[in-house]
Amino acid sequence: MLGTTALADSSALPPLPRYPMSIAADNIERPLVLIVDDDEEIRSALEELLLSVGIDARCFGSTQELLHADLPERPGCLILDVRMPGASGLDLQQHLASNGNTRPIIFLTGHGDIAMTVQAMKAGAIDFLTKPVRDQTLLDAVTAAIEKDISQRTAARHVKQHVDRYAKLTPREREVLREVAKGRLNKQIAFDLGISEVTVKLHRGSVTKKMQATSVGQLIRIWELLPAEIREEKSP
């Protein structure tokens, strides 16, 4: 059990997923856990525990120290204490969310209460754990948080790919894609846009190729993944 001064022997823990080591120190695929706690012994114990299962960690004594750090863009999560000198862990959660940072957060505190837990979980925290905490409980939460972040990053990359491909469409192709997404037939699209049905078919073929879709169903799913501001754009 991770207490305030020492780390329990983790040799008996069941195996957790081990992330691949890299010769490059800045391997962008290797998870990194950011620990923010004003207790140096806790920080050291957490870092040692994570390293024991092959997970990199960086420690910070305050939220400001973290915010001023030059951090690599790697998957991972944050482990935050709630009450610290200066801005609290809950303050940091709010700050990150307001800046579009969706990195998963685990709260670990010796001063938690129901109101804090509810606030943190409503704001998207992965877990809210109380010190002392069992090593395995913490590692399970970290594993879930890392997997969530990897999933989020993969989804974000796919969306960016779709947005980049959409940007290569001509204004007319965007109009056709919008109508296809509504489930309209070629002849209906042709009538609405004042073009021939043959021209609509040509545009549809070009759109499908540029968006790298293999079917109408996939094209519609890609459209639905595009950011709302794109889907809600008015036709020129």
Side-chain angles (χ1 to χ4, degrees), residues 71-222:
L71 299 172
E73 187 57 38
R74 292 164 59 179
C77 67
L78 292 109
I79 300 177
L80 304 181
D81 192 5
V82 174
R83 294 178 179 172
M84 294 178 285
S88 70
L90 293 172
D91 292 333
L92 179 59
Q93 181 188 36
Q94 184 177 7
H95 173 82
L96 294 175
S98 65
N99 285 277
N101 189 323
T102 59
R103 192 187 299 264
I105 294 174
I106 299 166
F107 282 100
L108 178 61
T109 180
H111 308 283
D113 56 35
I114 294 176
M116 283 183 183
T117 304
V118 171
Q119 179 182 345
M121 299 304 286
K122 280 188 174 181
I126 293 292
D127 215 333
F128 195 101
L129 305 174
T130 303
K131 302 172 185 174
V133 63
R134 291 181 61 250
D135 295 350
Q136 190 61 48
T137 299
L138 179 64
L139 291 173
D140 287 345
V142 168
T143 300
I146 290 174
E147 290 175 350
K148 179 178 180 179
D149 194 41
I150 290 173
S151 177
Q152 288 178 162
R153 287 167 180 269
T154 299
R157 283 197 297 269
H158 289 163
V159 170
K160 185 179 184 304
Q161 288 175 343
H162 298 327
V163 170
D164 290 344
R165 292 165 186 162
Y166 178 82
K168 297 178 182 179
L169 301 181
T170 66
R172 180 64 84 187
E173 288 170 345
R174 295 180 186 184
E175 287 183 312
V176 171
L177 173 56
R178 187 180 304 275
E179 295 303 311
V180 170
K182 294 178 182 177
R184 297 179 65 77
L185 301 175
N186 287 346
K187 60 182 179 181
Q188 295 173 314
I189 298 173
F191 178 81
D192 290 344
L193 299 183
I195 56 179
S196 71
E197 191 171 341
V198 171
T199 301
V200 171
K201 289 180 180 179
L202 290 173
H203 284 313
R204 282 187 64 156
S206 179
V207 168
T208 301
K209 182 178 180 180
K210 288 182 179 180
M211 298 303 292
Q212 297 188 18
T214 57
S215 66
V216 174
Q218 186 180 22
L219 190 61
I220 293 174
R221 287 193 294 274
I222 290 173

Side-chain angles (χ1 to χ4, degrees), residues 1-3 6-14 48-49 52 134-136 139:
M1 182 177 291
L2 178 64
L7 191 68
D9 178 13
S10 59
S11 60
L13 294 176
E48 182 180 341
L49 175 63
S52 74
R134 291 181 61 250
D135 295 350
Q136 190 61 48
L139 291 173

